[in-house]
């Protein structure tokens, strides 16, 4: 029995595409991420996301769908969140080391 053809992976987002996405999301962050209400409908949100997709596709060599753009946004958001956690953890460790009598020198902990 023949195997179905393997799915081709979509090309990774370029820096230009990510920058266009971030700029467009930043310009309309309130309508994109507020809860639905009588003032904000799902149609409005879909239109705003379509605007983000169009901005990405203007600089892209690969046609991106709304789902592709959303998934890349989620991936970037998770990466930023994870790095923030790591930075806070490192700051806490350095603070604890200083409290215990160690002096911090550019991230390296040395005895006083």
């Amino acid at each position: 029995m023949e195997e179905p053809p393997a799915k081709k992976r979509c090309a990774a987002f370029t820096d230009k595409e990510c920058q266009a996405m971030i700029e467009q999301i930043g310009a309309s962050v309130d309508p994109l991420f507020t809860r639905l209400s009588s003032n904000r409908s799902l149609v409005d949100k879909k239109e705003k996301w379509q605007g983000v997709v169009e901005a990405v596709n203007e600089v892209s060599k690969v046609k991106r769908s709304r789902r592709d753009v959303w998934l890349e946004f989620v991936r970037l958001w998770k990466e930023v969140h994870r790095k923030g956690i790591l930075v806070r953890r490192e700051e806490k460790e350095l603070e604890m080391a200083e409290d215990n009598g160690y002096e911090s020198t550019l991230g390296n902990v040395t005895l006083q």
Side-chain angles (χ1 to χ4, degrees):
M1 194 159 113
E2 290 184 27
E3 292 184 25
K7 281 187 177 180
K8 288 186 178 182
R9 289 182 57 181
C10 193
F13 274 67
T14 64
D15 290 340
K16 286 183 180 180
E17 290 172 322
C18 289
Q19 186 65 34
M21 177 178 59
I22 290 167
E23 287 174 2
Q24 190 68 25
I25 288 173
S28 54
V29 71
D30 189 45
L32 287 172
F33 298 107
T34 55
R35 293 180 181 224
L36 296 176
S37 66
S38 59
N39 296 336
R40 185 78 51 215
S41 70
L42 187 59
V43 174
D44 293 339
K45 285 189 175 205
K46 284 184 178 181
E47 287 174 0
K48 292 292 183 181
W49 275 109
Q50 192 59 39
V52 174
V53 171
E54 290 169 5
V56 169
N57 283 333
E58 284 178 11
V59 297
S60 178
K61 294 179 181 178
V62 179
K63 184 169 171 40
R64 305 291 185 175
S65 68
R66 191 169 67 220
R67 183 175 187 274
D68 293 339
V69 172
W70 171 254
L71 291 175
E72 181 65 12
F73 168 74
V74 169
R75 188 194 68 75
L76 287 174
W77 184 86
K78 285 180 180 180
E79 184 178 333
V80 167
H81 183 69
R82 183 183 56 81
K83 286 184 179 180
I85 289 172
L86 293 175
V87 166
R88 286 190 298 277
R89 184 179 297 155
E90 185 176 302
E91 288 172 351
K92 186 176 180 181
E93 288 173 357
L94 289 173
E95 184 179 303
M96 287 175 57
E98 289 173 352
D99 290 346
N100 291 332
Y102 294 97
E103 185 178 302
S104 173
T105 352
L106 298 175
N108 299 325
V109 178
T110 58
L111 289 173
Q112 280 185 334

